[in-house]
Amino acid sequence: MKISWRILLLWTLPALVIGFFVWQGAFSAGVPNMSQNTASTRMSYGRFLEYLDADRITSVDLFEGGRTAIVQATDPELDNRVQRLRVDLPGNAPELISRLREENVNFDIHPPSTNGAIWGLLGNLIFPVLLIVGLFFLFRRSNNLPGGPGQAMNFGKSRARFSMEAKTGVMFDDVAGIEEAKEELQEVVTFLKKPERFTAVGARIPKGVLLVGPPGTGKTLLAKAIAGEAGVPFFSISGSEFVEMFVGVGASRVRDLFKKAKENAPCIIFIDEIDAVGRQRGAGIGGGNDEREQTLNQLLTEMDGFEGNTGIIIIAATNRPDVLDSALLRPGRFDRQVTVDSPDIKGRLEILNVHARNKKLADEISLEAIARRTPGFTGADLANLLNEAAILTARRRKEAMTMVEIDDAIDRVIAGMEGTPLVDSKSKRLIAYHEVGHALVGTLLKEHDPVQKVTLIPRGQAQGLTWFMPMEEQGLITKSQLMARITGALGGRAAEQVIFGDAEVTTGAGNDLQQVTGMARQMVTRFGMSDLGPLSLETQQGEVFLGRDWMTRSEYSEEIASRIDAQVRAIVEHCYQKACQMMRDNRAVIDRLVDLLIEKESIDGDEFRQLVAEYAEVPEKERYVPII
Ligand code: ADP
Ligand code: MG
Ligand code: ZN
């Protein structure tokens, strides 16, 4: 519906413009229809007065309330032939009329013909009206951009932007894998259901709970579950919706929201992305933002303005607690912070169980194996994964989802869409050697995660891929594991160089090298794993704190900087030499693996290991401990 409006508008606007000129031509009327009067010639007002003095005017017909006249004049030079002429009058009809009376000229005043007038009016109005309608829809379209021009139209009206759900229908059972957070919030449900239990002993019920965690971990879901469990309405608004182009609009939205909430207490107010409005005031590049500060002040005022036991609990979510204004975090406001982290392997299994409830799974499916293959996935990622797999199942017209669909879905979520297989060529061979290089190092090094499969089917940006199976939930990673990873990541380039020579190495290793450098640098600067000793020289990179200090401090001297570089280079060089040596030592099996890979497009981990074992010793890797 919305889309069709847009298309319609796109076409109607130019059409309207063209239409305007056409209509203007036809109807700009109100002027007498000249074709009836055949007076196509004009006469100036001065000439008209002259003619009047000279008694050459025989009759005058006034139109348009005296602004136009059609006059009949006789022309002595042409045998007194009667001419009909049109005169534009400067207005002031009364004077003219008395003048005509004096001169005894026959005159008539024509009221505008209603028909013509209506058409004239319509003709003049239709364009502005259509234009306004068109603009209205255009503005409506851009309305969902905060601060977009749409807001300009409703300035001061403060349209309610929050949404209210009387019943969320979400229960704690639907939220899995974040047990600590759930336990903490269980209490909030009791606050809402049985506040007397707390007030009786003089306890003040907390007003605000701040949920902190990365996107997709279930913060919104958790807030809805609290409302669902307590059976109270759920008001939600996103922090970015407070931030408006005009000063004061955000603040009035806050007022509206709290007013509505008070009418519906007990209830939950959920403010998503509170960092959009709750940033440290008076900080950031480009100075403060008046509007945001006013909104934040209003929020603080509203939070102070109601007593603890009115039954309103405010839950806010953010993934940037570090930038929040300290006033928001003091007791009496968001004094409780609950961390919602990415789930561990056990959590992932539980989340998978929740989302598998309404799906048809084949018996062979092991949710545990999925949980194992998906380190770093959040609840939202897992939900999405199962959904992708379900779509694939339907597309393949299967009764129930099998492990094949799951594997495809994981590959797809991690690495992107599958491309068409490469045609046999020199570059396909080169890619095969590159991937086998990665996989061989991964298989031969004891500390490296085992190979899950090697494939030449392109996916996303990658032309070939080697998948590894994470060995265990990696909380702590040892130095030898990191070294093994670096060596493995260099395996691709090492194979290219050893087999094809210096001149033939490709750009395909660019991504590998980036990862390698990153890992090696962190070993030196963050984990104290180099000859520089146990020093932390850099904090985690990649975050720009616009909220507070945005200056980057370098925590070391120039001299240390060059020593860091030297250490990083030493680590990478060491690993690269090792990888190259492995390629030289195993040339025979590499050639066989490459032939097999080009023939089959994919080799799975077990087959790969078996083949390698015919030529070299494959170390036994740690086996998984079952989760439950
Ligand atoms: P956030 O608000 O933290 O960004 P959401 O609560 O919006 O994340 O999560 C998005 C979706 O992901 C949810 O609707 C749910 O389907 C799924 N999901 C996320 N976390 C969980 C979880 N812990 N348990 C079950 N499902 C989850
Ligand atoms: Mg959310
Ligand atoms: Zn590679």
Side-chain angles (χ1 to χ4, degrees):
M1 181 63 201
K2 219 176 166 184
I3 289 171
S4 64
W5 259 115
R6 282 183 203 180
I7 292 167
L8 206 70
L9 265 170
L10 274 178
W11 286 106
T12 42
L13 271 182
L16 284 182
V17 175
I18 295 164
F20 170 60
F21 293 106
V22 177
W23 280 58
Q24 269 301 63
F27 295 101
S28 72
V31 185
N33 195 336
M34 302 311 275
S35 61
Q36 268 175 20
N37 298 298
T38 65
S40 47
T41 347
R42 280 171 183 271
M43 179 164 69
S44 72
Y45 186 58
R47 176 63 68 80
F48 170 63
L49 293 179
E50 272 174 32
Y51 273 38
L52 204 58
D53 284 338
D55 282 338
R56 289 171 55 184
I57 304 290
T58 52
S59 84
V60 174
D61 293 83
L62 289 165
F63 293 91
E64 289 196 313
R67 274 187 286 130
T68 318
I70 305 293
V71 301
Q72 282 192 28
T74 50
D75 194 338
E77 276 150 46
L78 289 167
D79 299 339
N80 282 352
R81 230 179 62 193
V82 177
Q83 274 186 308
R84 290 172 68 83
L85 296 162
R86 177 183 169 154
V87 183
D88 288 323
L89 305 174
N92 239 347
E95 260 176 36
L96 183 70
I97 288 169
S98 49
R99 182 82 201 277
L100 292 174
R101 264 211 202 105
E102 280 167 26
E103 305 272 345
N104 250 335
V105 175
N106 191 5
F107 71 92
D108 196 0
I109 299 169
H110 300 265
S113 97
T114 30
N115 197 20
I118 285 175
W119 277 114
L121 200 65
L122 274 182
N124 283 332
L125 278 183
I126 195 123
F127 180 68
V129 166
L130 286 182
L131 187 69
I132 287 168
V133 170
L135 285 179
F136 172 74
F137 278 106
L138 274 183
F139 276 125
R140 254 185 46 152
R141 236 181 69 190
S142 52
N143 235 1
N144 28 13
L145 310 169
Q151 266 71 48
M153 303 292 271
N154 338 310
F155 171 53
K157 245 172 76 188
S158 154
R159 278 201 299 141
R161 285 299 206 76
F162 51 87
S163 70
M164 183 190 134
E165 283 177 61
K167 285 205 167 55
T168 60
V170 181
M171 291 294 171
F172 272 151
D173 258 1
D174 301 320
V175 190
I178 36 176
E179 292 312 314
E180 294 87 1
K182 258 164 79 175
E183 257 162 50
E184 284 251 12
L185 294 169
Q186 193 80 52
E187 204 180 28
V188 176
V189 177
T190 325
F191 291 150
L192 287 163
K193 273 175 138 172
K194 302 195 175 73
E196 21 355 296
R197 202 189 281 175
F198 297 88
T199 45
V201 294
R204 188 180 54 82
I205 291 175
K207 286 179 190 170
V209 181
L210 185 65
L211 300 179
V212 178
T217 45
K219 299 182 294 297
T220 310
L221 194 68
L222 205 50
K224 284 191 177 174
I226 296 169
E229 288 281 338
V232 300
F234 181 76
F235 288 86
S236 66
I237 188 165
S238 167
S240 57
E241 277 164 333
F242 286 133
V243 183
E244 293 290 349
M245 194 158 89
F246 290 105
V247 175
V249 175
S252 81
R253 277 201 185 132
V254 175
R255 263 193 307 277
D256 282 359
L257 174 65
F258 277 81
K259 191 163 145 259
K260 268 279 176 324
K262 276 177 205 158
E263 288 163 12
N264 287 282
C267 67
I268 282 187
I269 297 180
F270 179 65
I271 306 176
D272 213 348
E273 304 168 49
I274 194 168
D275 45 294
V277 68
R279 269 169 198 251
Q280 185 68 42
R281 282 167 290 185
I285 302 170
N289 171 339
D290 267 348
E291 162 62 355
R292 203 165 48 69
E293 289 191 5
Q294 281 204 16
T295 310
L296 178 56
N297 287 338
Q298 186 66 37
L299 185 64
L300 296 174
T301 316
E302 291 287 350
M303 285 191 80
D304 290 341
F306 63 87
E307 289 309 309
N309 26 19
T310 42
I312 302 178
I313 290 190
I314 305 160
I315 301 178
T318 180
N319 48 359
R320 303 292 308 278
D322 51 297
V323 301
L324 289 185
D325 195 291
S326 40
L328 268 177
L329 302 176
R330 78 154 172 72
R333 286 165 184 164
F334 291 104
D335 40 8
R336 292 210 167 186
Q337 280 199 31
V338 176
T339 309
V340 186
D341 253 334
S342 291
D344 59 3
I345 186 162
K346 193 156 162 280
R348 292 199 298 275
L349 181 59
E350 284 162 19
I351 295 171
L352 285 167
N353 268 315
V354 168
H355 288 279
R357 271 189 221 150
N358 58 358
K359 305 216 165 40
K360 255 211 167 130
L361 305 185
D363 292 338
E364 56 154 40
I365 281 198
S366 154
L367 292 181
E368 190 181 319
I370 306 175
R372 205 179 286 293
R373 268 202 72 190
T374 49
F377 273 44
T378 63
D381 294 333
L382 292 168
N384 177 34
L385 171 68
L386 284 186
N387 191 48
E388 284 279 332
I391 291 173
L392 283 177
T393 311
R395 195 181 292 160
R396 294 172 187 172
R397 298 184 194 283
K398 290 196 183 174
E399 296 274 296
M401 191 189 296
T402 69
M403 217 53 197
V404 182
E405 278 75 42
I406 299 264
D407 277 336
D408 284 354
I410 294 178
D411 291 359
R412 189 167 170 172
V413 169
I414 296 178
M417 296 274 279
E418 195 174 286
T420 43
L422 301 166
V423 286
D424 282 338
S425 64
K426 188 180 166 208
S427 81
K428 184 170 184 176
R429 256 197 122 62
L430 207 140
I431 294 166
Y433 273 104
H434 180 108
E435 295 308 326
V436 168
H438 284 307
L440 187 77
V441 176
T443 304
L444 292 180
L445 288 181
K446 184 170 168 35
E447 295 81 12
H448 201 289
D449 291 340
V451 173
Q452 202 222 340
K453 73 174 171 200
V454 193
T455 166
L456 285 185
I457 299 172
R459 220 176 244 291
Q461 302 286 312
Q463 304 227 285
L465 283 165
T466 305
W467 296 85
F468 294 99
M469 188 81 151
M471 275 204 275
E472 54 186 299
E473 197 60 22
Q474 266 141 352
L476 296 175
I477 308 172
T478 63
K479 179 176 174 184
S480 62
Q481 279 173 326
L482 281 173
M483 294 293 272
R485 279 187 201 178
I486 293 176
T487 314
L490 287 167
R493 165 54 63 87
E496 288 178 22
Q497 175 156 26
V498 168
I499 284 130
F500 295 93
D502 259 346
E504 297 292 311
V505 294
T506 68
T507 51
N511 208 3
D512 298 335
L513 299 186
Q514 199 178 340
Q515 282 186 20
V516 164
T517 317
M519 278 190 278
R521 194 174 175 87
Q522 291 200 23
M523 285 176 69
V524 178
T525 60
R526 290 182 61 205
F527 307 127
M529 289 176 178
S530 74
D531 293 348
L532 273 186
L535 287 176
S536 173
L537 297 163
E538 261 163 26
T539 42
Q540 188 148 20
Q541 291 178 334
E543 281 169 295
V544 185
F545 290 90
L546 288 182
R548 281 185 184 151
D549 15 60
W550 54 279
M551 302 275 286
T552 44
R553 277 185 303 256
S554 97
E555 284 156 27
Y556 43 76
S557 65
E558 291 286 318
E559 191 227 326
I560 295 275
S562 67
R563 284 174 64 193
I564 291 175
D565 289 343
Q567 288 295 326
V568 171
R569 230 175 311 129
I571 291 175
V572 175
E573 191 54 35
H574 172 82
C575 292
Y576 188 59
Q577 289 315 328
K578 190 165 171 184
C580 288
Q581 193 56 51
M582 287 166 103
M583 297 305 131
R584 280 182 225 114
D585 294 347
N586 294 281
R587 183 64 200 263
V589 67
I590 293 175
D591 287 344
R592 253 191 87 183
L593 287 163
V594 165
D595 286 341
L596 187 66
L597 187 58
I598 286 178
E599 183 196 323
K600 288 179 59 177
E601 302 279 338
S602 282
I603 308 179
D604 82 40
D606 287 331
E607 195 179 353
F608 192 95
R609 273 182 288 279
Q610 270 173 22
L611 227 162
V612 177
E614 292 177 21
Y615 294 79
E617 196 188 331
V618 176
E620 190 67 23
K621 308 233 171 165
E622 268 175 67
R623 282 284 127 196
Y624 313 122
V625 204
I627 310 173
I628 298 162

